[in-house]
Amino acid sequence: MNPGAGGPVAAGGRPLIITEDPLLLDDLLRLCAAAGAEPHVHHAVPEQSGADRESSDGSGGGGPGGTGGAGIAGVGWESAPLVLVGDDAARRVRGAPRRDGVFLVGRDLDDPHVWQRAVEIGAEEVLTLPDAESRLVDRIADVVEGAGRPALTVGVIGGSGGAGASTLACALALRAARAGERTILIDGDPLGGGMDVLLGGEAAEGLRWPDFAASRGRVGAGALAESLPELHALRVLSWDRGDRVVVPPAAMRSVVAAARRRGGVVVVDLPRRIDEAVAEVLAQLDLVLMVVRGELRAVAAAGRVSAGVRMVARDVRVVVRGPAPGGLDAEAVAGLLGVPLAGEVPVEVGLPGRVAEGEPPGAHGRGALARFCDGFWQRALGSAQGVSA
């Protein structure tokens, strides 16, 4: 599979840098350090028959500022998880076997022949520094973290006030975790009261949203998960009890992207307002579930919410909460909104009382809410082609 097309790259290895340009090498070593990677450096393609040893003339080492030297086992062209070829070295690697994960790196934006050289060496992409530094750090960090299938990422939003979106988001995350999925629940609504409170973990140790407010670049997926409170076998990113209710869009984008790279399942509780930060989240979601009560006024309010969400999100479906006495049935609600129906969540007798006593939504496995969530995940996670709710 082609990593440049979104496929996984080999995990756990060290990138291979091929260049003799000392300035470019310094830049690449700096970017590798930023991504948490320790690369191997060569002046040309490592000999496939002798990749486990440094060449006797030292050309298998790193050169100025390089990391080469004794003990560079497994540094073959074919075995490295990622290969960064300096533009100065393109001619020297022309005869190397074709493989995925090769990038041609240079500095001259105006060079008309750079794409020809990229084709000659089978490079997936041409990266020009400094413009492509962020992109390159991401690709290198994917190697370090082992980028595989991203998490199935589901957002939940209320079509109107009191629709029960936070309750559904909490239950979805809890049921996914209990089914054995690696799960992160993200509280995207600073005015919602706190998902950690709903899970009975407001005093649990771990980072909250304000701790990530300064994040701009890449956030490590593993480091993110380990830093969050663990409640009921899932990780929770919520708000603290302070006054901060805004996280910059760049920080929101970085944190959600890190959660997705961890794999498994990510559930995001969304606010009803669509600002720039929320748009950053919506753009990364596989599916948005909009919770709507089966009442005409609720459907009218949901229509306005839906219009904003659908401008950014790729897939929006409605979950009808009901049935409401004398109200609309689920099919009618979906038809009025022009949104596919994901299902109906029946009213669960006794749920508010159990939540008030400290039982998280969805914990009661035989309840209507848990049954809905279990059925949703069976369909969504069982689909090889994508989300099917």
Side-chain angles (χ1 to χ4, degrees), residues 80-107:
L82 187 72
V83 180
L84 306 177
V85 179
D87 195 29
D88 66 291
R91 289 181 176 83
R92 296 196 295 277
V93 301
R94 277 181 184 168
R98 294 301 174 101
R99 51 153 292 166
D100 291 336
V102 176
F103 294 83
L104 184 64
V105 187
R107 287 197 187 83

Side-chain angles (χ1 to χ4, degrees), residues 2-359:
N2 187 341
V9 296
R14 292 167 60 179
L16 174 62
I17 296 174
I18 301 178
T19 184
E20 284 188 284
D21 181 339
L23 297 179
L24 179 60
L25 178 57
D26 285 345
D27 282 340
L28 293 178
L29 291 174
R30 172 176 55 83
L31 297 176
C32 284
E38 183 181 356
H40 294 293
V41 179
H42 281 249
H43 294 159
V45 178
E47 296 179 7
Q48 299 305 300
S49 61
D52 293 343
R53 65 181 184 274
E54 183 181 15
S55 60
S56 60
D57 63 358
S59 62
T67 60
I72 55 172
V75 196
W77 167 269
E78 295 177 343
S79 62
L82 187 72
V83 180
L84 306 177
V85 179
D87 195 29
D88 66 291
R91 289 181 176 83
R92 296 196 295 277
V93 301
R94 277 181 184 168
R98 294 301 174 101
R99 51 153 292 166
D100 291 336
V102 176
F103 294 83
L104 184 64
V105 187
R107 287 197 187 83
D108 189 355
L109 284 170
D110 299 321
D111 184 351
H113 303 296
V114 65
W115 291 102
Q116 178 181 345
R117 293 194 291 276
V119 170
E120 289 173 349
I121 67 172
E124 294 178 6
E125 194 172 343
V126 174
L127 300 175
T128 304
L129 304 182
D131 293 353
E133 285 193 358
S134 177
R135 162 75 172 154
L136 186 50
V137 169
D138 281 348
R139 296 300 297 143
I140 298 168
D142 282 343
V143 171
V144 177
E145 293 181 349
R149 182 186 296 274
L152 177 59
T153 308
V154 178
V156 185
I157 191 169
S160 62
S166 295
T167 297
L168 178 58
C170 183
L172 282 169
L174 185 61
R175 299 311 300 178
R178 292 197 173 181
E181 294 293 330
R182 191 161 49 176
T183 305
I184 294 180
L185 173 60
I186 296 178
D187 186 352
D189 187 357
L191 304 180
M195 296 300 286
D196 54 350
V197 176
L198 196 54
L199 286 161
E202 60 269 28
E205 293 186 0
L207 300 185
R208 266 67 173 182
W209 265 121
D211 298 304
F212 295 97
S215 299
R216 292 294 185 274
R218 184 183 177 104
V219 176
L224 171 68
E226 291 302 316
S227 72
L228 300 178
E230 184 174 10
L231 305 170
H232 301 278
L234 58 93
R235 297 286 179 169
V236 182
L237 176 54
S238 189
W239 298 84
D240 62 10
R241 312 284 83 84
D243 296 332
R244 177 183 282 273
V245 295
V246 175
V247 169
M252 191 75 77
R253 178 176 61 249
S254 295
V255 170
V256 175
R260 294 187 71 243
R261 288 196 306 273
R262 184 172 177 257
V265 164
V266 175
V267 179
V268 185
D269 182 37
L270 296 163
R272 292 177 60 220
R273 72 182 191 284
I274 310 300
D275 57 19
E276 188 178 353
V278 175
E280 291 286 0
V281 179
L282 288 171
Q284 299 192 59
L285 299 178
D286 296 303
L287 171 67
V288 177
L289 297 177
M290 184 170 60
V291 186
V292 183
R293 298 194 309 273
E295 303 169 356
L296 192 57
R297 288 185 62 196
V299 173
R304 293 188 289 271
V305 175
S306 174
V309 171
R310 292 166 76 181
M311 291 179 64
V312 185
R314 63 175 70 101
D315 190 352
V316 181
R317 308 188 191 186
V318 63
V319 175
V320 178
R321 182 184 174 193
L328 304 168
D329 62 25
E331 288 77 9
V333 171
L336 288 170
L337 291 171
V339 176
L341 179 64
E344 182 177 4
V345 179
V347 174
E348 185 171 327
V349 178
L351 176 61
R354 294 197 301 272
V355 171
E357 293 173 357
E359 179 182 292

